[in-house]
Amino acid sequence: MDGQEEFLKEFGDFYGYPNAPKSIDEIRSTEFKRLEDTVYLDHAGATLYSELQMEAIFKDLTTTVYGNPHSQSDSSSATSDIVREARRQVLDYCNASQKDYKCIFTSGATAALKLIGENFPWSCKSTFMYTMENHNSVLGLREYALNEGAAAFAVDINEAVDQDGASRSSLTSFKVLQHPVQIRNEAKILEGELTGDAYNLFAFPSECNFSGMRFSLDLVNNVKQNAEKILEGSPCSKGHWMVLIDAAKGFATQPPDLSLYPADFVVISFYKLFGYPTGLGALIIRNDAAKLLKKTYFSGGLYLEVLLMDIFNVVVLLTISFTGTVAASIADIDFVRRREGVEEQFEDGTISFLSIASIRHGFKIFNTLTTSAMCWHTMSLTKFLKRKLLALRHENGESVCTLYGNCPLKVSRHDCGSIVSFNLKRPDGSWFGHREVEKLASLYGIQLRTGCFCNPGACAKYLGLSHSDLLSNLEAGHVCWDDNDVINGKPTGAVRVSFGYMSTYEDAKKFIDFIRSSFISMPSEFEKRYLLRSKSIPCPTEGFEDRLPSSACHLKSITIYPIKSCAGFSVNSWPLSNTGLQYDREWLLKSLTGEILTQKKVPEMFLIKTFINLNQQILSVESPYCKRKLQIKLDSDSYLPGREEFYLQNQRYEVQCYENEINQWFSDAVGQPCTLVRCCQSEYCFSLNKNRSMGMCRDVNGKLNFANEAQFLLISEESVSDLNNRLCSKTQKLSCGAPPNVNPMRFRPNLVISGGEPYAEDGWRNLRIGNTYFSSLGGCNRCQMINFYQQTGQVKKTNEPLATLASYRRVKGKILFGILLRYDPGNKARLDTNSWLKVGDEVHSNSE
């Protein structure tokens, strides 16, 4: 029995919409053709729109005239009808009576939460209680509460479970662990006694976007009816409790039934339901809760000018404004009459009516498949993936995967959502970084998400991070979305896989195969040697020139890259300076916002050709997007007066800026406004990272211009040849056309050597090229930039050669190829202004 047969034997009744007009395979082949080469597993971040859905929306918008609903024209009336129907569909989806609830459209779930926070009747007697597992957008409500003198605290919810694993449903089935109470203005709190007159708010997600754990909706009735018992008589339990459900994640496959669980507020986001439209959400609000919100702001659109005559027969012009949130207002006196409709009170300005008109096409898909079937479908994939991950073992028997969330693995659609959150371990128990997983996954065409997913409470809870851990991580420079994925031996985030209604068994299978091939195989001989070398005592540099053996290598080419991320030029010989090859990476381009432009973000930079004429002292630059060649004098008189400073790679640079004519040329070349700056040598400082390890960081001892890591990058022709052989074998095995042939220049080296064995450079400590001495800083960590290449004047991108390199050149999350060099500061052959490198120079190495 193969894997899919085994899967279908257990989940066949739940997977693939057996009772729907289309099977899952038909849905994928007809409505998601763009996923042919992509495994998309970030539906918790944003699910995907159907191609048929978009065709229906396009047809609707191109055949119907929708006018601004704040009018009485036929087109406006048609829009009003569509909006009214959209509100009904949203309420029907969660079984909410139109008599009891209203649907307020917002710009997203976050805007809906902000609306609650701004207008909730907070007081010094109020309490804001929220589960630890909440999105930052919910935690932001705490600011409104604390600023008004209210108390706030987080809670952990423990739900009583029967022996058969089923959750109980009674008013006493929850155990609440209360975290410390937060009070911003304690004196104010003490002045007012906590009484039953206060309005309190409890917020929880229907599904945790970190772990996928679903909270029991019995919490709604428990808190509203029995808060004092749940909180064991805490003073904060008194008052009228209102309940907010963040359903941004859980609404698609398990919307709350508001007829059974009458929450006061429910917030949703439509792009997480249907993929489109973005920038549209909704607040589902109980009518009695809406009456308590204290709206201050009103907005306007239409107006009416009225001529009146007062008792003195003076004509007065009154401008009365009719808007979405008010019935009328007068400009020059304090007069406003608000509209009575709940939606009209809170929807400021003109709603996004074209986006609202689009959601009915998403609901049409959901109604065809049914919510229950979508829930069972995603549940089957989630359970399958969790079981497979938990079963993975290293050769020494150690577990590979640690899952987060206490969801049972039995077949049930009520316990967990469509999320699998986890981290991976090495055989020795150390952690693979989550960013390493994400980067490698992208090379395999797998799109997922890593980090804390804007849910700091769940992240800290499941990863076991204390307050001191979080603060020390912050002091170490860790912020959201950076590459600091393991600090002090602990992961700072997790890997998250999330399924959507169009996800397939093949998606889950490809992901499992990726994990198995990338994180379970034994370390390569290269990795073993490299780790051993990085832990060994550095070889003394004094007198190493006397120990260099005879050479089997010579310098094949020299390349200078004057402008960071632009094309370089090759020469037969070139002078050296105290920053490396003279003029190498001495210039860079900055956007008007200060962002450094690189090929990763602006591939057109690859097409900018450079050349420096040492005799004429001119930098020449060409681009296919510019008619004329640009020539810049090296002792330029086109500098702007004064210097600027900025930080790059944690280091401060002083730079010289250029006049507008030069900046306009580069702006045309890259297709966006930018400025050219030149590094003022020796006028910046270095920031030393005390925890740096060999070959894994920036050179902090040598002087650099704008190079990422070191003064020189050296590549071996023999190593490139071995890589090409591997690419050829891989292509033949997969039968996928002609193998790519990678040129050494794809890696943007300064120095290319020829001769010797492939990867012999990995073991070099020191070397001499001609009469110049260097120290090796270790391997160069490669990134997606080496996957860019030029073809017929266009910049293109593939997943090679980085994907192949990752299969055999990976060490502790780094993909290494080539070595970084700097002048050895301790040797006696000091660099002087007459030092040159020449093609053909012999290369002597020392590997001690």
Side-chain angles (χ1 to χ4, degrees), residues 64-177:
T64 307
V65 178
Y66 290 114
N68 190 315
H70 293 167
S71 181
Q72 300 300 315
S73 67
D74 290 343
S75 61
S76 297
S77 296
T79 302
S80 297
D81 291 341
I82 286 291
V83 172
R84 191 178 303 110
E85 175 63 14
R87 298 189 202 277
R88 183 195 64 77
Q89 287 183 302
V90 173
L91 294 178
D92 287 350
Y93 195 70
C94 53
N95 203 17
S97 167
Q98 296 184 59
K99 293 182 180 180
D100 299 323
Y101 284 91
K102 294 294 184 291
C103 171
I104 300 169
F105 287 114
T106 64
S107 63
T110 297
L113 290 165
K114 187 169 181 282
L115 188 154
I116 298 169
E118 289 176 338
N119 301 293
F120 191 83
W122 305 109
S123 72
C124 61
K125 304 174 184 179
S126 297
T127 297
F128 175 47
M129 178 172 68
Y130 54 93
T131 57
M132 280 291 288
E133 297 93 339
N134 260 309
H135 194 278
N136 266 326
S137 296
V138 175
L139 298 186
L141 297 176
R142 185 176 60 191
E143 294 301 298
Y144 294 107
L146 294 176
N147 284 340
E148 293 298 326
F153 58 86
V155 293
D156 287 305
I157 304 291
N158 294 318
E159 184 179 356
V161 178
D162 291 331
Q163 291 182 352
D164 62 357
S167 300
R168 299 173 187 169
S169 57
S170 70
L171 294 181
T172 59
S173 62
F174 297 98
K175 180 70 175 178
V176 175
L177 174 63

Side-chain angles (χ1 to χ4, degrees), residues 276-297:
Y276 183 89
T278 58
L280 182 69
L283 168 61
I284 302 168
I285 185 171
R286 283 186 63 86
N287 292 337
D288 52 0
K291 295 175 182 178
L292 297 174
L293 299 188
K294 300 180 290 186
K295 183 76 181 297
T296 301
Y297 179 77

Side-chain angles (χ1 to χ4, degrees), residues 240-464:
H240 303 288
W241 279 93
M242 309 180 79
V243 177
L244 158 66
I245 300 177
D246 176 9
K249 172 60 188 77
F251 199 72
T253 54
Q254 198 168 16
D257 186 338
L258 296 182
S259 68
L260 299 177
Y261 311 103
D264 300 281
F265 312 98
V266 179
V267 300
I268 63 174
S269 184
F270 289 101
Y271 76 93
K272 295 196 176 186
L273 291 176
F274 322 124
Y276 183 89
T278 58
L280 182 69
L283 168 61
I284 302 168
I285 185 171
R286 283 186 63 86
N287 292 337
D288 52 0
K291 295 175 182 178
L292 297 174
L293 299 188
K294 300 180 290 186
K295 183 76 181 297
T296 301
Y297 179 77
F298 67 88
S299 58
L302 304 178
Y303 68 92
L304 175 65
E305 293 185 345
V306 182
L307 290 175
L308 298 178
M309 184 175 292
D310 66 10
I311 58 175
F312 300 104
N313 295 324
V314 177
V315 176
V316 179
L317 176 65
L318 295 182
T319 300
I320 303 178
S321 176
F322 297 92
T323 74
T325 56
V326 295
S329 66
I330 301 177
D332 57 346
I333 64 173
D334 183 10
F335 176 82
V336 58
R337 180 167 296 168
R338 300 178 184 274
R339 288 186 178 271
E340 296 183 359
V342 172
E343 302 98 332
E344 296 167 329
Q345 288 181 41
F346 293 99
E347 290 173 347
D348 293 323
T350 302
I351 56 178
S352 183
F353 56 88
L354 294 181
S355 293
I356 294 171
S358 301
I359 67 175
R360 62 193 175 112
H361 300 287
F363 276 120
K364 183 178 180 180
I365 294 174
F366 277 26
N367 292 335
T368 300
L369 296 176
T370 74
T371 304
S372 177
M374 290 188 295
C375 186
W376 283 114
H377 174 78
T378 55
M379 174 279 301
S380 63
L381 293 171
T382 304
K383 302 290 186 184
F384 170 72
L385 180 58
K386 285 184 175 182
R387 290 180 185 178
K388 289 297 183 181
L389 289 174
L390 285 176
L392 295 177
R393 291 290 185 274
H394 288 293
E395 192 172 82
N396 63 358
E398 292 296 318
S399 176
V400 174
C401 183
T402 298
L403 293 179
Y404 301 117
N406 56 354
C407 302
L409 297 182
K410 62 184 180 64
V411 179
S412 169
R413 68 187 183 94
H414 297 289
D415 302 298
C416 291
S418 57
I419 287 174
V420 182
S421 182
F422 62 93
N423 272 311
L424 301 173
K425 281 188 172 182
R426 296 184 175 87
D428 63 2
S430 63
W431 297 98
F432 286 104
H434 57 80
R435 286 285 289 136
E436 178 181 356
V437 180
E438 183 177 20
K439 290 176 181 178
L440 285 176
S442 68
L443 294 176
Y444 285 79
I446 299 172
Q447 309 302 315
L448 46 78
R449 190 171 175 186
T450 65
C452 280
F453 325 119
C454 301
N455 196 325
C459 188
K461 177 178 178 177
Y462 289 113
L463 299 182

Side-chain angles (χ1 to χ4, degrees), residues 476-624:
H478 172 53
V479 294
C480 294
W481 304 339
D482 67 13
D483 285 343
N484 294 317
D485 49 14
V486 178
I487 298 179
N488 296 325
K490 290 185 178 181
T492 61
V495 181
R496 185 183 73 185
V497 166
S498 51
F499 295 105
Y501 76 84
M502 74 298 295
S503 297
T504 64
Y505 164 82
E506 287 76 17
D507 291 334
K509 178 65 165 55
K510 288 177 182 177
F511 180 73
I512 294 167
D513 291 343
F514 156 70
I515 294 295
R516 185 178 288 112
S517 64
S518 300
F519 297 97
I520 299 181
S521 59
M522 296 299 292
S524 66
E525 289 302 315
F526 159 69
E527 182 176 0
K528 293 177 181 177
R529 291 196 308 269
Y530 200 92
L531 292 175
L532 180 64
R533 176 184 174 223
S534 66
K535 295 176 182 178
S536 64
I537 300 173
C539 179
T541 59
E542 184 176 354
F544 79 83
E545 60 272 16
D546 299 326
R547 303 193 303 272
L548 293 176
S550 60
S551 173
C553 306
H554 67 274
L555 186 58
K556 183 69 176 292
S557 70
I558 303 170
T559 306
I560 299 92
Y561 306 89
I563 305 175
K564 183 179 178 67
S565 258
C566 294
F569 63 97
S570 296
V571 293
N572 290 322
S573 61
W574 197 257
L576 301 170
S577 71
N578 60 357
T579 58
L581 291 167
Q582 192 171 28
Y583 303 121
D584 186 55
R585 295 173 178 88
E586 196 162 308
W587 290 262
L588 61 71
L589 296 175
K590 289 173 54 183
S591 71
L592 298 187
T593 60
E595 182 182 16
I596 308 303
L597 301 187
T598 66
Q599 278 189 31
K600 295 177 189 177
K601 299 177 181 178
V602 189
E604 292 80 6
M605 296 180 72
F606 187 87
L607 303 175
I608 298 177
K609 298 179 180 179
T610 61
F611 180 75
I612 290 179
N613 188 312
L614 291 177
N615 294 326
Q616 297 179 3
Q617 288 288 287
I618 289 178
L619 166 63
S620 299
V621 192
E622 296 180 83
S623 167

